[in-house]
Amino acid sequence: MPEVIKQLPEQVANQIAAGEVIQRPASAVKELMENAVDAGATRVEVRVEDAGRTLIQVEDNGAGMIEADAMRCFSRHATSKISSADDLYSIVSKGFRGEALASIASIAHVELKTCHTDSEHGFQLSLEGGTETESLPCAMEVGTQISVRHLFYNVPARRNFLKSDAVEMRHVIDEFHRVALAHESIHFVLLHNDKEVFNLRAAALRKRIVGVFGSKYDERLVPVEESTDVVGVKGFVGKPEFARRTRGEQFLFVNQRFVRHHVLHRTIMEAYEGLLPRDQFPLYVLFLTIDPARLDINIHPTKTEVKFDEDRHIQSLLLPAIRRGLGKYAVAPSLDFEQETGLNIQPLQEGRVVSEPSVQVNPDYNPFSPQHTGGGLRPGRGQMDAWKSLYEKTWNAEANQGVTELEADQGTTRRSAIGTNSLEMVLTEDQVSSVRPLFQLQNKYIVTSTKSGLILVDQHRAHQRILYETLVRQLESDVNQSITQQLLFPAQVDLNAADRLFVLESKNWLAKFGLLVAESDDGIEVQGMPVEGENTPESLILAVLEEREEEVAGVSREERAAARLAETMAVRIGKSLKPEEMVDLVDRLFGCSTPSLDPFGRTVIVTFESNELEQRFR
Ligand code: ADP
Ligand code: MG
């Protein structure tokens, strides 16, 4: 029998390791930035082209390498950071596995230029797929520059798996943020396609956070600091009223290394208990300092997971530290809770005039009491479920061949095709057309009768459904730009670099919604807005920014953004409506393909059949 077991060539082993360490351009950015930090650099410049597909270049002014080290650094398990297993328990550097450069080199074209503090000249080395193609002396300042071109050129499966530039760049920025937040005393620069995205000079942590997220964040931060013999915590948490519905502003570092730690995340959320509506996440940038001997960071190749000897001890420090921080700054509770009022039908008095809504203050309202923390109309249940239901209920429904928004607006045509098969609630066209009269209940529901009974329509959700279907129709149409309300004076919306990039990448499909944006110095400029709805340009942009993932449960980002916009634009609870506005809303609702649910799968219409009513009077 011939032998079957062979030792894998180093090249193949490196490619396999690369699969774990380098998943996308952002992973290479992280590894190269961390190497620069480990080399003691005070300035690190990251340059990417096409979100890192074409080029990732990291240049630092750190210690550099002598020729012999430069020749060795691309071999597997080549590291200057540890020499024995014991060293694993005293690691203070970012790297130690000696895998990153070997992995990157095996799947790209790499050029290294480096000059060590003690060398007279620099040294330059080129590799293709891990094989050296050229090495020679060169002139350069002390430091290191590594250029990675054509990442995954020899791993087509990986290359094809990459997402759009917008998404890949978002990952690059995420990694950049993590390293930059953990090392505020280092000057970091990020350039994308020759344009500066970040230029963060060495500064105190607060200033670094503001540099990363934007100037508005300064007032949102609350300092936290506490320590025991074993562990220290330091950093900032966000005031609860600025919490967001999306994650992405939660940063926990252990010994200056970004980590994911579900237990500690929950502990931090616990500190906010009673201060946040459901499904909202506060910002935090927290640094734990702990003796490396009490820590195992070796459990994952990308080193983002840690195990502590004493989770409990850390929790018992973290929770009161954050509570104290929040308390000290007398953080005002959020006033943004949408309260659900109970359904309490009062008979409509004859001749009663509908009055303008007035501000209602609930003196019993206590944001710390759990019964007030429900999100009301916010997408309360797990968002995934909501999107799933959105997907199933909406996309499986018959496409609406009904009237256009404009026609409905002008009242020329009233509801045509009601996608009856998509209506869970069986309302025939005949029944709907006999809908009358209408009145408004608690400035929240439109009450009307049908042949078979009584129906209540949630005005906010109904309007969301209408707007959502309109926006999706516009998205699918061939028209590049929908009807828009041109702003006489374009509105400036301040955004941090990452958000700004995200909005600008979406410019074309936003125009289909009638939302016209352009680049400006500090963020973006809104030049046109959708015609319907009373909104600020900023609220619309923030709504769009709530959806960052390309695809969730098979629903595209554009469609989910349409739902967010509809939610923002829709008429509010508490607004009193004129009779003609109610008629219009109800009519347009029944012109929708799925009138019974809002874009998030929540109930829009409640019916009381006549027999149900009769039962009640028995
Ligand atoms: P690790 O960081 O785990 O040691 P890497 O593969 O990332 O492994 O790097 C291998 C070695 O190359 C490092 O240990 C370090 O000695 C050297 N090196 C890498 N990047 C730089 C840099 N920017 N400046 C100086 N030395 C570097
Ligand atoms: Mg490294």
Side-chain angles (χ1 to χ4, degrees):
M1 276 289 274
E3 301 165 27
V4 287
I5 300 181
K6 290 188 274 311
Q7 191 73 39
L8 284 178
E10 163 135 341
Q11 180 55 21
V12 178
N14 285 339
Q15 279 198 22
I16 294 170
E20 283 176 24
V21 186
I22 310 296
Q23 283 135 6
R24 51 185 2 132
S27 331
V29 169
K30 166 186 187 275
E31 294 294 340
L32 297 176
M33 286 179 79
E34 290 190 343
N35 279 348
V37 171
D38 284 345
T42 56
R43 187 179 188 281
V44 179
E45 183 174 302
V46 182
R47 189 179 274 277
V48 296
E49 274 169 31
D50 306 318
R53 257 179 254 267
T54 316
L55 173 75
I56 297 164
Q57 186 180 76
V58 176
E59 189 174 346
D60 68 60
N61 62 356
M65 284 178 262
I66 59 167
E67 188 173 328
D69 284 339
M71 297 289 283
R72 200 174 294 137
C73 71
F74 292 103
S75 329
R76 198 139 175 256
H77 305 308
T79 180
S80 54
K81 298 165 195 172
I82 57 170
S83 52
S84 75
D86 287 346
D87 294 348
L88 280 173
Y89 300 98
S90 54
I91 287 170
V92 283
S93 58
K94 310 271 121 185
F96 59 86
R97 299 169 68 111
E99 273 180 333
L101 289 186
S103 301
I104 293 171
S106 73
I107 49 168
H109 295 180
V110 175
E111 187 191 71
L112 163 75
K113 282 179 162 180
T114 187
C115 179
H116 191 262
T117 336
D118 303 330
S119 306
E120 273 162 30
H121 55 78
F123 178 75
Q124 140 178 14
L125 182 70
S126 304
L127 302 100
E128 263 177 44
T131 313
E132 187 187 317
T133 54
E134 193 182 46
S135 69
L136 60 155
C138 71
M140 80 170 277
E141 306 267 292
V142 171
T144 302
Q145 184 198 70
I146 297 186
S147 313
V148 178
R149 291 194 170 80
H150 315 303
L151 191 67
F152 302 127
Y153 81 102
N154 53 359
V155 198
R158 263 298 143 118
R159 208 170 54 234
N160 297 336
F161 169 81
L162 294 181
K163 300 282 171 55
S164 68
D165 275 10
V167 173
E168 292 303 333
M169 195 55 203
R170 177 78 226 169
H171 286 288
V172 168
I173 289 174
D174 283 347
E175 295 295 355
F176 181 88
H177 281 172
R178 291 168 188 169
V179 181
L181 285 171
H183 300 278
E184 73 272 18
S185 55
I186 300 177
H187 181 179
F188 287 101
V189 179
L190 175 66
L191 296 142
H192 184 215
N193 296 337
D194 291 326
K195 274 176 87 171
E196 194 176 278
V197 185
F198 287 99
N199 188 349
L200 307 168
R201 286 171 200 288
L205 179 62
R206 186 176 194 122
K207 199 148 177 235
R208 173 57 52 97
I209 296 174
V210 169
V212 164
F213 296 111
S215 54
K216 283 199 181 142
Y217 280 71
D218 200 19
E219 51 148 344
R220 303 182 182 182
L221 304 174
V222 175
V224 170
E225 188 165 1
E226 209 82 57
S227 66
T228 67
D229 295 346
V230 181
V231 58
V233 58
K234 214 181 150 153
F236 291 89
V237 296
K239 294 182 185 170
E241 64 266 40
F242 296 106
R244 284 203 186 180
R245 260 186 275 177
T246 48
R247 293 170 196 260
E249 295 183 343
Q250 291 74 42
F251 296 86
L252 180 67
F253 298 87
V254 175
N255 296 350
Q256 289 185 293
R257 182 193 300 280
F258 173 82
V259 298
R260 295 169 211 281
H261 199 285
H262 301 297
V263 175
L264 293 183
H265 173 73
R266 270 208 306 277
T267 307
I268 297 165
M269 294 302 291
E270 225 173 278
Y272 278 85
E273 211 170 83
L275 291 167
L276 292 177
R278 207 170 353 131
D279 288 339
Q280 294 216 357
F281 303 96
L283 168 136
Y284 60 79
V285 182
L286 292 170
F287 295 86
L288 292 174
T289 321
I290 186 165
D291 178 358
R294 293 175 182 270
L295 195 77
D296 180 2
I297 42 178
N298 200 21
I299 59 174
H300 192 265
T302 59
K303 302 178 286 253
T304 53
E305 264 150 58
V306 274
K307 266 201 324 232
F308 300 104
D309 284 353
E310 315 95 354
D311 276 0
R312 276 285 175 74
H313 184 91
I314 298 170
Q315 283 170 272
S316 63
L317 173 80
L318 203 52
L319 190 110
I322 297 171
R323 287 238 168 112
R324 248 195 297 280
L326 291 172
K328 216 185 266 175
Y329 279 74
V331 172
S334 165
L335 297 173
D336 187 32
F337 299 86
E338 288 173 86
Q339 297 175 56
E340 291 268 25
T341 35
L343 183 58
N344 182 10
I345 306 178
Q346 304 266 334
L348 187 72
Q349 284 153 13
E350 208 152 298
R352 194 186 141 210
V353 185
V354 182
S355 59
E356 281 283 307
S358 55
V359 178
Q360 290 173 2
V361 178
N362 175 0
D364 299 329
Y365 175 61
N366 172 8
F368 293 91
S369 128
Q371 80 195 72
H372 287 300
T373 55
L377 284 165
R378 297 172 191 287
R381 62 198 77 163
Q383 197 166 28
M384 207 66 176
D385 286 349
W387 287 123
K388 277 216 185 88
S389 94
L390 166 70
Y391 176 75
E392 284 154 13
K393 307 256 165 62
T394 312
W395 275 268
N396 292 348
E398 202 176 54
N400 178 27
Q401 300 119 22
V403 294
T404 67
E405 181 84 356
L406 203 62
E407 284 171 322
D409 264 339
Q410 295 165 339
T412 48
T413 323
R414 294 297 183 195
R415 82 208 80 67
S416 58
I418 294 174
T420 29
N421 63 342
S422 68
L423 264 171
E424 290 175 336
M425 204 195 66
V426 193
L427 274 178
T428 65
E429 185 158 0
D430 185 33
Q431 282 173 316
V432 176
S433 55
S434 63
V435 164
R436 283 309 169 283
L438 303 100
F439 72 92
Q440 199 183 13
L441 183 70
Q442 298 178 334
N443 289 343
K444 183 173 186 180
Y445 304 107
I446 300 168
V447 185
T448 188
S449 60
T450 67
K451 259 185 198 163
S452 63
L454 179 76
I455 68 171
L456 272 83
V457 173
D458 180 309
Q459 64 188 46
H460 179 61
R461 295 181 185 179
H463 200 199
Q464 279 184 61
R465 163 54 60 186
I466 296 163
L467 290 166
Y468 172 69
E469 291 198 8
T470 309
L471 291 174
V472 170
R473 245 186 340 262
Q474 292 173 355
L475 192 65
E476 287 164 355
S477 83
D478 298 330
V479 184
N480 289 333
Q481 184 187 315
S482 299
I483 309 172
T484 179
Q485 173 192 338
Q486 293 276 353
L487 299 182
L488 203 52
F489 301 103
Q492 172 67 33
V493 180
D494 290 347
L495 293 177
N496 69 47
D499 287 350
R500 173 175 183 243
L501 204 75
F502 224 59
V503 172
L504 291 173
E505 301 262 11
S506 316
K507 197 175 155 175
N508 291 343
W509 54 264
L510 290 179
K512 290 195 167 216
F513 292 153
L515 188 56
L516 307 186
V517 298
E519 201 166 344
S520 76
D521 285 346
D522 288 326
I524 55 146
E525 202 177 80
V526 176
Q527 298 170 332
M529 305 218 299
V531 186
E532 214 175 327
E534 296 157 24
N535 306 100
T536 62
E538 187 170 19
S539 65
L540 296 181
I541 296 297
L542 290 180
V544 169
L545 282 171
E546 282 198 44
E547 296 299 336
R548 288 162 191 273
E549 294 298 317
E550 189 118 314
E551 207 181 278
V552 175
V555 186
S556 72
R557 180 170 171 242
E558 287 87 331
E559 282 159 285
R560 284 178 291 118
R564 292 289 177 203
L565 280 172
E567 190 184 25
T568 310
M569 288 155 67
V571 59
R572 298 276 134 203
I573 296 296
K575 181 164 167 43
S576 87
L577 300 175
K578 298 197 190 85
E580 61 270 26
E581 288 172 333
M582 288 189 254
V583 172
D584 183 55
L585 199 70
V586 169
D587 278 350
R588 285 165 68 201
L589 177 66
F590 288 112
C592 286
S593 66
T594 313
S596 57
L597 297 169
D598 81 356
F600 302 93
R602 295 169 297 202
T603 306
V604 175
I605 305 163
V606 171
T607 51
F608 296 91
E609 296 296 325
S610 344
N611 52 4
E612 243 179 293
L613 295 173
E614 275 155 25
Q615 283 281 327
R616 291 267 182 152
F617 284 104
R618 276 234 294 243

